[in-house]
Amino acid sequence: MSRNIDTRTRQRSAPAHRAGVFTAFGLAAEAEPLAPGLYVVATPFVAWLVTGRAPSWMVWAAVLLSVLGTWLLGGGTLAAFSKGDALVALSAIFWAAHVVITGKAALYARPIGFTVAQFAVVGVLGVAGAAIFETVS
């Protein structure tokens, strides 16, 4: 019986896996999608702000290499830095905050409560954003 369930699960999830692969290859062809990787750089700084503990020298080295790699993959220039790139960089800071908050919440071992709180916050902010920026039709 479990073999049938596994087969059905694989069959249902195959389109999603293919979509993920195609999306990854499509995004790799552009420079902008590399910018979300900046959350790797931003996370130690956000953690430093939250915990008050400075990152170790190894983290600083990793941050430097991540910035260098992202810069090189983006073409090695800042001349084409646009408003959209700035928004993506800002979103990386928010994603880094999410990583730090999730790490702090994990200490309490209440994943369902945390997930419910996340859904509630995203729902409220989404409705508020829609009410501010979208026209009702």
Side-chain angles (χ1 to χ4, degrees), residues 2-84:
S2 66
R3 184 173 179 171
N4 291 338
I5 293 172
D6 292 337
T7 303
R8 280 187 243 142
T9 302
R10 279 193 298 256
Q11 288 171 347
R12 286 186 197 133
S13 64
H17 292 288
R18 282 192 293 272
V21 169
F22 290 131
T23 301
F25 282 116
L27 293 180
E30 300 177 18
E32 290 83 13
L34 298 172
L38 290 174
Y39 84 89
V40 173
V41 174
T43 300
F45 295 108
V46 173
W48 189 4
L49 288 172
V50 171
T51 65
R53 291 189 322 244
S56 70
W57 69 271
M58 290 175 60
V59 172
W60 287 113
V63 164
L64 180 64
L65 288 173
S66 295
V67 168
L68 179 65
T70 302
W71 179 67
L72 288 172
L73 288 169
T77 180
L78 293 177
F81 195 77
S82 66
K83 180 181 175 183

Side-chain angles (χ1 to χ4, degrees), residues 102 105-119:
T102 302
L107 298 174
Y108 298 102
R110 305 221 24 179
I112 294 173
F114 182 72
T115 303
V116 168
Q118 279 184 316
F119 279 127

Side-chain angles (χ1 to χ4, degrees), residues 70-104:
T70 302
W71 179 67
L72 288 172
L73 288 169
T77 180
L78 293 177
F81 195 77
S82 66
K83 180 181 175 183
D85 294 330
L87 289 173
V88 169
L90 180 65
S91 74
I93 293 170
F94 284 106
W95 188 257
H98 177 259
V99 169
V100 171
I101 291 168
T102 302
K104 288 288 191 183

Side-chain angles (χ1 to χ4, degrees), residues 123-136:
V124 168
L125 293 177
V127 168
I132 293 169
F133 297 110
E134 299 292 330
T135 57
V136 178

